[in-house]
């Protein structure tokens, strides 16, 4: 029984079909990486999973619960799914620690003191304990993104969705964020990661899916996708990535 | 020239009219403070209603739009007449026997709430949708996202334009003189008519100017701070 399963998921924005009959299974404690060109549907797929987008057709199950029948409590679902965005989206009017404690105190009704203790532990873990009382605009991009991850983790999610979280970062800041994700994978967190970091995907993923114009045209273990891709489109894509020096 | 000085800037008339005009001006201050508090709260509520999502909220949204259109378009002096003379004529219990001061507050609040609603609305719309999305994806409800993430950022951004509207409100408290509130302009008018001298109006003007200058400077100061901060973020 997969932790996440998508069956025939289709999503269009107007005439633009972004996902076509996508099938995907993600087992618990596994890491799945979505690769593919910009606009291939990676972000949309992630957003459909926590109902930031509503699918047009098909079925999504998360943790044994069908989420696409319109009956699910959206806020309850999102409590167990953390998502981190490319643009961090920290709340600029709150300190780092308030960013992290907002959802636990308001949504899960954890006491302020408990939420702060837990937030401090999380900030310690991501190496930013001393930034707790700073505002986000005083942090580097890499630090902001780590806080965004901590903010999602504070809700103790069972699934993490990472949407190109290093794409907006200066190259020298990418490593600190990926190290954190790697540690997260080692703790057994189930994750679906849309990424352009191919070597990272190769190292951390249990399964890699290549998205091409809204279709998962190839999926498999990373060794297979990166070393012996079956589909010509996958090969083409990887050749271009290689040429750009990103593999 | 001597005539002008005597009629408008007579030191004697200044001294004599000052206490009455000051008494009246305290009413202006009261009108202003009460109306400002009401406006701040009501306008935010209406701005939020205007932004409600979904088809179910259409009637509420429409109501909010009609309200702002009507009261932004109607001159305050007309609203003052309608409220100050109209409501007492209706003979509605609890609504027709209020003091002129209260009618003044109602007229000012009705008109300025319409302006300030638009200011808040601009602020709410200026908060990037990704902020709301981030809040919702953490499990916050629509209202929680508004309350903790969107509105605090929106309000911070609109403080300078809000203060500008309040400068306008402060001055317009003088208009409710037309429904018989004994505020500073009415006091000045009385003095002027009794003494054939306009200095009392100048006294009232001085009070208004002394009140608005600090607020205007404070607003400029806030805008400068913001500009500096935004430039710093760019670098």
């Amino acid at each position: 029984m997969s932790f996440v399963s998508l069956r025939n998921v289709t999503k269009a924005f107007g005439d633009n079909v972004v996902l076509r009959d996508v099938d995907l299974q993600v087992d618990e404690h596994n890491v799945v990486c979505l690769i593919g060109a910009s606009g291939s549907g990676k972000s949309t797929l992630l957003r459909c999973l926590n109902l930031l987008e509503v699918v047009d057709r098909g079925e999504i199950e998360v943790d044994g619960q069908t989420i696409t029948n319109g009956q699910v409590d959206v806020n309850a679902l999102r409590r167990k799914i953390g998502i981190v965005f490319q643009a961090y989206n920290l709340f600029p009017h709150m300190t780092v620690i308030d960013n992290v404690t907002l959802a636990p105190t308001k949504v899960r009704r954890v006491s302020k003191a408990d939420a702060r203790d837990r937030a401090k532990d999380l900030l310690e873990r991501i190496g930013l304990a001393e930034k707790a009382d700073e505002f986000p605009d005083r942090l580097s991009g890499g630090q902001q993104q780590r806080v965004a991850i901590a903010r999602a983790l504070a809700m103790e999610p069972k699934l993490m969705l990472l949407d190109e979280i290093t794409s907006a970062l200066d190259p020298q800041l990418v490593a600190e964020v990926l190290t954190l994700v790697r540690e997260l994978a080692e703790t057994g967190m189930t994750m679906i990661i849309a990424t352009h970091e191919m070597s990272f995907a190769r190292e951390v993923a249990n399964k890699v899916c290549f998205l091409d114009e809204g279709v998962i045209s190839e999926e498999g273990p990373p060794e297979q996708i990166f070393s012996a891709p079956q589909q010509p489109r996958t090969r083409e894509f990887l050749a271009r990535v290689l040429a750009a020096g990103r593999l | 020239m001597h005539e002008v000085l005597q009629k408008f800037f007579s030191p004697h008339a200044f001294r004599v009219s000052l206490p009455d005009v000051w008494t009246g001006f305290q009413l202006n201050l009261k009108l202003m403070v009460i109306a400002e508090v009401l406006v701040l709260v009501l306008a935010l509520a209406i701005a939020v209603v205007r932004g409600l999502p979904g088809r179910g909220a259409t009637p509420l949204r429409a109501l909010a739009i009609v309200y702002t259109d009507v009261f932004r378009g109607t001159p305050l002096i007309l609203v003052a007449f309608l409220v100050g003379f109209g409501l007492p004529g209706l003979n509605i219990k609890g609504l027709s026997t209020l003091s002129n001061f209260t009618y003044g507050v109602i007229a000012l609040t009705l008109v300025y709430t319409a302006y300030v609603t638009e200011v808040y609305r601009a602020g709410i719309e200026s908060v990037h949708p990704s902020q709301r999305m981030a809040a919702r994806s953490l499990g916050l409800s629509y209202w929680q996202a508004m309350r903790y993430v969107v509105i605090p950022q929106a309000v911070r951004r609109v403080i300078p334009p809000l203060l500008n509207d309040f400068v306008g409100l402060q001055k317009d408290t003088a208009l409710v003189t037309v429904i018989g509130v004994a505020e500073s302009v009415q006091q000045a008018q009385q003095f002027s008519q009794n003494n054939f001298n306009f200095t009392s109006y100048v006294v009232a003007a001085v009070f208004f100017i002394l009140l608005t200058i600090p607020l205007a400077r404070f607003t400029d100061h806030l805008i400068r701070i913001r500009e500096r901060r935004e430039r710093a973020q760019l670098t």
Side-chain angles (χ1 to χ4, degrees), chain A residues 92, chain B residues 121-132 149-155 157:
Chain B
R121 196 165 68 96
I124 289 171
E125 282 173 6
S126 79
V127 177
H128 198 273
S130 63
Q131 284 288 308
R132 198 176 307 207
V149 175
V150 178
I151 290 173
Q153 294 185 57
V155 169
R157 280 179 209 186

Side-chain angles (χ1 to χ4, degrees), chain B residues 142-180:
Chain B
Y142 175 84
W143 291 108
Q144 286 175 321
M146 285 301 276
R147 159 86 178 75
Y148 298 110
V149 175
V150 178
I151 290 173
Q153 294 185 57
V155 169
R156 275 179 181 79
R157 280 179 209 186
V158 299
I159 286 173
L162 270 184
L163 292 179
N164 264 330
D165 273 348
F166 281 160
V167 171
L169 172 63
Q170 288 177 2
K171 290 191 299 179
D172 281 354
T173 55
L175 278 174
V176 302
T177 192
V178 298
I179 55 169

Side-chain angles (χ1 to χ4, degrees), chain A residues 78 90-91 93 106 137, chain B residues 131 136 144 148 153 233:
Chain A
R78 287 175 182 155
L90 292 181
F91 306 132
H93 60 299
K106 303 304 173 196
D137 63 355
Chain B
Q131 284 288 308
R136 295 303 307 275
Q144 286 175 321
Y148 298 110
Q153 294 185 57
Q233 267 170 9

Side-chain angles (χ1 to χ4, degrees), chain B residues 110-138:
Chain B
L110 279 173
V111 169
Y112 272 89
T113 297
Y115 287 120
V116 172
T117 296
E118 293 302 294
V119 172
Y120 275 131
R121 196 165 68 96
I124 289 171
E125 282 173 6
S126 79
V127 177
H128 198 273
S130 63
Q131 284 288 308
R132 198 176 307 207
M133 185 178 70
R136 295 303 307 275
S137 65
L138 283 165

Side-chain angles (χ1 to χ4, degrees), chain B residues 196-216:
Chain B
F196 307 106
N197 191 297
F198 302 105
T199 305
S200 54
Y201 287 125
V202 175
V203 174
V206 167
F207 280 133
F208 278 105
I209 291 167
L210 287 180
L211 183 67
T212 53
I213 284 179
L215 190 55

Side-chain angles (χ1 to χ4, degrees), chain A residues 92-134:
Chain A
H93 60 299
M94 293 182 186
T95 59
V96 163
I97 194 145
D98 287 343
N99 263 276
V100 178
T101 56
L102 177 71
T105 52
K106 303 304 173 196
V107 179
R108 285 182 42 222
R109 311 235 165 254
V110 175
S111 77
K112 243 198 167 104
D114 287 350
R116 281 185 80 85
D117 285 348
R118 165 113 178 95
K120 280 185 180 149
D121 287 347
L122 276 167
L123 292 176
E124 189 85 44
R125 191 165 139 203
I126 65 170
L128 291 175
E130 79 284 5
K131 302 281 187 194
D133 297 316
E134 297 274 17

